[in-house]
Amino acid sequence: QVHLVESGGGSVQSGGSLRLSCAVSEWPYSAVYMGWFRQAPGKEREGVAVIGSDGTTSYGDSVKGRFTISQDKSKNTMYLQMDNLKPDDTAMYYCAADISISWWLHLQQGAVPRFRGQGTLVTVSS
């Protein structure tokens, strides 16, 4: 059974950096779109970044140029390097995985990824 486990969240000052990790227990499918979305209290879910099995990436507008998504297939792990963090980045960050990219494209319309982790909290203070 597929399980996603996030790690790496924490508290940091504005301008600082954090790296999130998402470990995948197994992936029995041929295609995969993995990524991150976040949700802050009182706000809608927001797509942060996604990476396909071919390495193609896409980012949310608010994090472009500051966040980098990557994957290590040998370790079944995905990473999110977050630099120049801002207070608006404060949120619960969730790792997501699906055989389709639909969850990323339709996240704000209520789409739910097939698999997701429990979340890791990122807090950025000014």
Side-chain angles (χ1 to χ4, degrees), residues 37-126:
F37 67 93
R38 67 188 182 185
Q39 188 162 24
K43 295 186 178 181
E44 295 184 348
R45 293 182 301 167
E46 179 184 11
V48 177
V50 66
I51 185 166
S53 50
D54 63 354
T56 302
T57 60
S58 184
Y59 296 89
D61 289 341
S62 63
V63 306
K64 284 180 181 177
R66 300 187 297 122
F67 291 10
T68 304
I69 190 170
S70 61
Q71 58 187 353
D72 185 335
K73 294 182 179 180
S74 67
K75 297 181 179 179
N76 278 357
T77 301
M78 175 182 64
Y79 304 97
L80 183 70
Q81 177 66 39
M82 305 186 295
D83 297 317
N84 191 20
L85 283 160
K86 304 175 181 180
D88 283 348
D89 294 318
T90 296
M92 187 71 79
Y93 284 71
Y94 298 92
C95 172
D98 203 320
I99 61 173
S100 168
I101 199 171
S102 291
W103 71 270
W104 170 260
L105 297 175
H106 304 292
L107 186 67
Q108 291 189 326
Q109 288 76 42
V112 178
R114 183 172 301 206
F115 304 102
R116 52 160 271 191
Q118 293 299 309
T120 186
L121 181 63
V122 172
T123 303
V124 184
S125 58
S126 58

